[in-house]
Amino acid sequence: MVKVYKFKLVSIILIIASLLFSLCGTFDIDSYAANVKNPVSQHGRLKVSGSNIVDKNGKKFQLVGMSTHGLAWYPEAVSEKTLKTLRDDWKCNTIRLAMYTEEYGGYCTGVENKKQMLSRVDNGIKLAKKLGMYVIVDWHILSDGDPLIHKKEAKSFFKRMAKKYKGYNNIIYEICNEPNNTSWKANIKPYCKSIIKTIRKYDKRSVIICGSNTWSQDIHEVSQDRITGYKNVAYSLHFYANTHTDWLRQRLTDCHKNGLCVVVTEFGTCDASGNGGFNKSETVKWLKLLKKYKIGCINWSLSNKEETASAIKSGTDISKLKKGSKQLTKSGKLIRKWFRKM
Ligand code: IDC
């Protein structure tokens, strides 16, 4: 009799111990983030379905968020405090990390700069993970209009990212910010196929966003000649409200209706230069259209540079963005107001 009790007691202790052990073992940042209410815990892994981005339940999902200015110029914005304000007060679910390739301090401008960019991108990805936000890793070509120019560097960068972050359900790759003065068929498309292949070797599922010619405006060309053979591929459209108006909205509507999955991974409220021409009414027309189709919208930029596109007033500490609109520019105020009701 005593033996039976002893046996039961030992079994119970063992069961409790193993339960406790397994609880401790699974307490890592991922499962913690998955248990609290945040965009990623609620919507999970995103997919491309026809012309839409959908969440883990297959429901249409709109990516809403801010893009950093260049990570070489304004890395301070990628802080826990600022991202938290964006998430909780602005209702952003996404942060875009703009990593320039050729401009000042960019990834392709020397070994030290490359190291710095890698550590800033890693920091941004980890913070986004912690806060349960989606993160767009942006290979920000601009003056290097043809993506093939830095294809080798791009391949090694995306290989590194895909290997390291393949288990992350919040990561999105934007593989060429704004090709220009080049060709979709001969340059951009082959580049994209090659980078997608590299990423897919390690990461089978993340959403990958491709640019198009003319600073990512020529989605009509893409729509006629899409990348096939891979899932979860989307295309970016970029606009600046005072420069790109009805004609580009019409192009977006046509492509969307034609089944092309488009995400606006960068837009400004002003001129394409980023400075001057703040245009509230054209911005609102765009935002209404994006809201209607649940097309992702990421605003340029989360910086305090003295230029119209900046969301934060110059002189403000961008690593400590507070809730409310006191620290915001005209552009920032308009964007915050709209993001809160997207
Ligand atoms: C601009 C920045 C500006 C910076 C410049 C560097 O706003 O401060 O000096 O880049 O060349 C884009 C680009 C984006 C531009 C932005 C505004 O993706 O890098 O940022 N823009 O010109 N496409 C259209 C507009």
Side-chain angles (χ1 to χ4, degrees), residues 184-226:
W184 167 251
K185 208 174 207 57
N187 304 58
I188 309 167
K189 191 181 179 193
Y191 165 87
C192 291
K193 281 167 79 176
S194 168
I195 302 296
I196 295 170
K197 195 172 162 205
T198 300
I199 295 175
R200 284 291 182 257
K201 218 181 273 171
Y202 305 97
D203 174 342
K204 309 281 179 221
R205 295 180 286 177
S206 59
V207 171
I208 301 175
I209 305 178
C210 306
S212 60
N213 204 10
T214 319
W215 296 276
S216 289
Q217 288 158 44
D218 292 350
I219 48 172
H220 57 306
E221 280 182 7
V222 172
S223 193
Q224 302 305 318
D225 180 18
R226 304 179 191 188

Side-chain angles (χ1 to χ4, degrees), residues 69 73 100 103 140 142 177-178 240 266 272-274 300 305 307:
H69 190 288
W73 280 283
Y100 280 81
E103 273 77 2
H140 202 87
L142 189 60
N177 169 51
E178 291 188 353
Y240 280 73
E266 188 186 302
S273 66
W300 183 267
K305 180 169 177 175
E307 64 178 9

Side-chain angles (χ1 to χ4, degrees), residues 11 31 56 60 70-71 86 105 111 130 134 185 197 208 222 240 242 277 298 315 321:
S11 320
S31 47
K56 65 177 178 189
K60 284 185 196 174
L71 284 180
L86 291 180
V111 183
K130 186 172 179 190
Y134 296 96
K185 208 174 207 57
K197 195 172 162 205
I208 301 175
V222 172
Y240 280 73
N242 202 42
I298 310 293
L321 184 64

Side-chain angles (χ1 to χ4, degrees), residues 40-321:
V40 178
S41 71
Q42 285 179 294
H43 297 281
R45 195 173 271 286
L46 304 177
K47 283 188 202 147
V48 172
S49 168
S51 51
N52 305 299
I53 297 283
V54 298
D55 71 5
K56 65 177 178 189
N57 302 314
K59 268 190 78 181
K60 284 185 196 174
F61 181 77
Q62 189 181 21
L63 292 160
V64 175
M66 292 300 294
S67 174
T68 66
H69 190 288
L71 284 180
W73 280 283
Y74 296 95
E76 323 83 83
V78 189
S79 73
E80 185 162 351
K81 165 81 180 152
T82 295
L83 295 197
K84 225 171 167 187
T85 300
L86 291 180
R87 185 192 68 181
D88 299 340
D89 185 54
W90 293 42
K91 309 297 173 201
C92 290
N93 51 42
T94 305
I95 178 78
R96 176 184 190 237
L97 306 172
M99 187 188 73
Y100 280 81
T101 46
E102 267 198 359
E103 273 77 2
Y104 167 82
Y107 184 90
C108 304
T109 62
V111 183
E112 283 311 308
N113 291 339
K114 175 179 160 180
K115 269 196 213 149
Q116 193 171 56
M117 286 305 100
L118 283 171
S119 92
R120 288 177 185 178
V121 168
D122 282 339
N123 170 52
I125 294 172
K126 286 190 183 129
L127 267 180
K129 181 75 177 168
K130 186 172 179 190
L131 296 172
M133 296 173 82
Y134 296 96
V135 58
I136 301 179
V137 176
D138 162 37
W139 181 256
H140 202 87
I141 67 164
L142 189 60
S143 52
D144 42 341
D146 176 357
L148 290 174
I149 294 175
H150 293 301
K151 181 178 147 189
K152 208 174 128 223
E153 293 96 323
K155 274 183 96 74
S156 106
F157 173 75
F158 284 110
K159 179 179 173 189
R160 186 190 177 111
M161 291 291 122
K163 264 174 119 170
K164 193 162 181 179
Y165 297 112
K166 58 180 184 293
Y168 280 45
N169 61 353
N170 66 327
I171 201 150
I172 298 169
Y173 295 111
E174 182 176 358
I175 59 181
C176 49
N177 169 51
E178 291 188 353
N180 56 86
N181 299 303
T182 179
S183 148
W184 167 251
K185 208 174 207 57
N187 304 58
I188 309 167
K189 191 181 179 193
Y191 165 87
C192 291
K193 281 167 79 176
S194 168
I195 302 296
I196 295 170
K197 195 172 162 205
T198 300
I199 295 175
R200 284 291 182 257
K201 218 181 273 171
Y202 305 97
D203 174 342
K204 309 281 179 221
R205 295 180 286 177
S206 59
V207 171
I208 301 175
I209 305 178
C210 306
S212 60
N213 204 10
T214 319
W215 296 276
S216 289
Q217 288 158 44
D218 292 350
I219 48 172
H220 57 306
E221 280 182 7
V222 172
S223 193
Q224 302 305 318
D225 180 18
R226 304 179 191 188
I227 292 168
T228 53
Y230 295 100
K231 283 185 182 157
N232 296 331
V233 173
Y235 302 91
S236 57
L237 173 74
H238 290 180
F239 72 82
Y240 280 73
N242 202 42
T243 308
H244 311 110
T245 55
D246 278 335
W247 57 275
L248 195 57
R249 282 192 288 272
Q250 191 57 51
R251 188 180 286 176
L252 174 59
T253 305
D254 293 345
C255 288
H256 180 79
K257 290 192 172 158
N258 204 6
L260 192 76
C261 182
V262 181
V263 179
V264 174
T265 51
E266 188 186 302
F267 76 91
T269 57
C270 56
D271 285 336
S273 66
N275 206 6
F278 176 72
N279 195 326
K280 182 178 168 184
S281 67
E282 285 295 329
T283 303
V284 168
K285 280 189 202 166
W286 271 107
L287 291 171
K288 280 186 177 159
L289 179 68
L290 301 176
K291 185 176 178 182
K292 178 173 166 198
Y293 292 123
K294 284 196 168 289
I295 293 174
C297 50
I298 310 293
N299 177 246
W300 183 267
S301 76
L302 182 64
S303 84
N304 60 1
K305 180 169 177 175
E306 191 104 41
E307 64 178 9
T308 316
S310 303
I312 304 171
K313 283 182 188 159
S314 74
T316 309
D317 180 353
I318 54 173
S319 71
K320 296 200 172 67
L321 184 64

